[in-house]
Amino acid sequence: MVTIAEATTKDLKTIQEIAYKTWPQTYGAILSKEQIDYMLELFYSEHTLLENLIQKGHRFLLVHQDEFCLGFASYSHNYLAQNLTRLHKIYLLPEAQGKGAGKLLIDTIENLARENNSVAVSLNVNKFNNALSFYKKIGFEIVAEEDIELEFGYKMEDYRMEKKL
């Protein structure tokens, strides 16, 4: 049985483990190993995850099949003081991809966004990420391009996508 539960600080290790297992496969053909390692530390250190959860108001959801965690997503409402719900992260273990767990996480976040009276769900996706076609298939549209400069000359080359609710 597949279930979704809200994560707490006790689940940060699980979130980190999933990120470290999925990122090399997701971004290995797009980014250098050095950039992947840098970004994992930047986005998934315990300090950053705690800051997102406690100070920035990000909420994390875990998707489980029985007792096994398949992946996670994080979101927040009222993104940039707008009537948007932001999908900050969504990652599934490689063996869980393509089986409906990601769609279930996004459907759950869309329902929470509607309850919050958001007009859309917004996300960023790397321009070369295979997930781009998945997002298009479920109703997200590209609304902008964003190149975000990081340290050491690293860049995030993203599309900002939105799905109207």
Side-chain angles (χ1 to χ4, degrees):
M1 181 166 139
V2 178
T3 58
I4 293 183
E6 187 151 357
T8 68
T9 55
K10 293 177 186 156
D11 298 305
L12 296 183
K13 200 77 169 152
T14 299
I15 292 166
Q16 287 176 318
E17 288 171 5
I18 291 168
Y20 275 80
K21 287 178 184 173
T22 58
W23 270 59
Q25 180 169 330
T26 302
Y27 300 109
I30 302 169
L31 305 174
S32 69
K33 181 187 181 319
E34 293 77 17
Q35 184 169 349
I36 291 170
D37 291 345
Y38 164 78
M39 292 175 74
L40 280 168
E41 179 59 29
L42 182 66
F43 297 139
Y44 293 97
S45 69
E46 185 174 348
H47 171 79
T48 299
L49 290 173
L50 277 170
E51 181 180 68
N52 287 340
L53 190 63
I54 295 168
Q55 294 171 355
K56 293 186 176 179
H58 294 196
R59 298 175 76 183
F60 286 80
L61 301 177
L62 301 176
V63 59
H64 290 88
Q65 181 159 21
D66 301 316
E67 296 302 312
F68 185 70
C69 189
L70 303 174
F72 70 91
S74 74
Y75 70 96
S76 62
H77 297 304
N78 307 314
Y79 181 64
L80 299 177
Q82 297 177 34
N83 201 11
L84 291 173
T85 293
R86 177 68 167 186
L87 175 60
H88 295 285
K89 303 173 183 348
I90 180 168
Y91 290 100
L92 297 171
L93 291 171
E95 61 269 26
Q97 294 175 9
K99 298 179 180 171
K103 176 90 167 66
L104 183 61
L105 280 169
I106 290 176
D107 288 347
T108 301
I109 290 168
E110 286 177 11
N111 288 334
L112 292 164
R114 284 185 190 93
E115 289 173 15
N116 193 67
N117 297 314
S118 294
V119 296
V121 175
S122 168
L123 63 85
N124 273 34
V125 62
N126 181 288
K127 294 175 186 175
F128 308 104
N129 188 330
N130 291 333
L132 181 61
S133 60
F134 167 72
Y135 294 127
K136 287 180 178 178
K137 180 179 167 187
I138 62 171
F140 283 83
E141 297 177 353
I142 296 170
V143 296
E145 291 188 31
E146 292 184 2
D147 289 341
I148 302 163
E149 299 287 333
L150 301 172
E151 292 180 300
F152 310 113
Y154 296 139
K155 249 200 307 201
M156 292 176 23
E157 298 173 279
D158 290 353
Y159 288 124
R160 190 171 77 239
M161 301 184 82
E162 287 185 3
K163 182 176 181 180
K164 302 279 186 235
L165 301 175

